[in-house]
């Protein structure tokens, strides 16, 4: 039986993720970080929108496509450097995902839509872009926040939490409040939301 274009695209994305040299422990043993990240993104997409389109499912899966190839320290360690890095990554990851879509049999229009979602075009106006943003924020809160808060002072952490919260939809907020966190992480979220 031949693979559908969706299955082909997901396989190609996962094959790329599997090449991530950064390995982390998991229930299945040591795994490539980006493969675990994309699986976590997929899990949260199922919670946010179990009927998500194929195009959104591909964009969510490809959110960090080959990200390890452009490390954060390849840009200046300041706010401007961070924004340049993020802007470059969004474009690069979108272009790589669009290419995979075309190789898998999707139309130019579909490939362009996947790329636009990854670039987070029309956030707050486009429901699928908003869903992708919600998923990314939820994964940050669930999978990365506790480590993040250990590396930054409380003021910066609270500021980032407020920015994260501001990017999310009401549904995203509901899911975020259900994430199990340490007491310290919970306190910081309470402080961040106190003025919201």
């Amino acid at each position: 039986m031949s693979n559908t274009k969706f299955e082909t695209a997901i396989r190609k994305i996962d094959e790329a993720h599997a090449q991530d040299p950064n390995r982390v422990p998991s229930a299945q043993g040591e795994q490539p970080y980006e493969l675990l990240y994309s699986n976590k993104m997929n899990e949260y997409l199922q919670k946010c929108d179990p009927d998500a389109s194929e195009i959104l499912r591909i964009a969510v899966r490809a959110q960090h496509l080959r990200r390890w190839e452009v490390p954060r320290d390849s840009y200046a360690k300041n706010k401007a450097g961070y924004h340049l890095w993020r802007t470059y990554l969004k474009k690069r990851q979108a272009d790589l995902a669009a290419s995979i879509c075309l190789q898998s049999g999707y139309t130019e229009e579909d490939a362009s839509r996947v790329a636009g979602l990854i670039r987070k075009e029309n956030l707050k106006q486009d429901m699928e872009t908003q869903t992708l943003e919600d998923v990314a924020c939820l994964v940050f809160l669930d999978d990365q926040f506790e480590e993040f808060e250990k590396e930054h002072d409380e003021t910066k952490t609270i500021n980032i939490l407020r920015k994260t919260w501001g990017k999310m939809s009401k549904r995203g907020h509901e899911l975020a409040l259900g994430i199990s966190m340490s007491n310290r992480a919970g306190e910081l979220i309470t402080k961040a939301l106190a003025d919201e």
Side-chain angles (χ1 to χ4, degrees):
M1 181 157 93
S2 63
N3 286 339
T4 66
K5 59 189 176 184
F6 175 74
E7 290 167 334
T8 300
I10 294 299
R11 179 180 48 77
K12 287 177 178 287
I13 290 166
D14 284 352
E15 285 171 357
H17 290 324
Q19 294 174 32
D20 182 0
N22 302 300
R23 306 286 169 167
V24 292
S26 77
Q28 295 79 34
E30 202 171 66
Q31 299 269 321
Y33 174 76
E34 290 302 347
L35 190 57
L36 288 176
Y37 176 87
S38 72
N39 287 333
K40 182 77 86 168
M41 291 282 289
N42 193 57
E43 288 171 22
Y44 271 106
L45 177 59
Q46 290 302 308
K47 293 177 183 180
C48 286
D49 184 2
D51 300 318
S53 70
E54 281 186 13
I55 298 303
L56 178 56
R57 289 163 62 197
I58 290 168
V60 162
R61 196 74 166 209
Q63 157 95 354
H64 277 186
L65 194 55
R66 305 191 80 81
R67 186 178 191 164
W68 73 88
E69 294 178 340
V70 185
R72 170 65 184 96
D73 63 9
S74 61
Y75 284 78
K77 293 188 187 243
N78 55 32
K79 193 173 185 177
Y82 175 76
H83 288 295
L84 285 171
W85 175 66
R86 288 289 305 271
T87 300
Y88 175 73
L89 281 176
K90 277 198 280 191
K91 180 183 181 330
R92 180 179 188 267
Q93 290 158 182
D95 291 347
L96 290 169
S99 177
I100 285 175
C101 287
L102 292 171
Q103 292 166 26
S104 302
Y106 282 95
T107 64
E108 286 275 357
E109 182 181 352
D110 287 341
S112 177
R113 176 67 175 151
V114 167
L117 288 170
I118 291 171
R119 287 190 301 268
K120 307 223 180 110
E121 293 173 353
N122 300 314
L123 184 62
K124 298 289 186 187
Q125 286 84 39
D126 183 308
M127 242 168 79
E128 287 191 316
T129 303
Q130 184 60 59
T131 298
L132 190 149
E133 184 65 26
D134 282 350
V135 168
C137 290
L138 289 163
V139 171
F140 167 71
L141 292 170
D142 184 25
D143 192 52
Q144 302 161 344
F145 174 65
E146 292 196 25
E147 193 61 36
F148 176 88
E149 71 91 5
K150 290 175 189 170
E151 297 171 2
H152 301 283
D153 65 52
E154 184 171 304
T155 302
K156 180 171 183 167
T157 300
I158 288 172
N159 186 38
I160 293 298
L161 282 170
R162 286 180 178 149
K163 286 180 182 176
T164 300
W165 199 258
K167 294 178 190 176
M168 297 170 74
S169 69
K170 183 179 177 187
R171 176 67 178 141
H173 293 160
E174 291 167 0
L175 289 168
L177 292 173
I179 294 172
S180 176
M181 295 187 179
S182 69
N183 289 340
R184 175 66 179 149
E187 288 169 16
L188 289 168
I189 288 174
T190 300
K191 285 182 181 181
L193 300 183
D195 298 328
E196 294 295 310

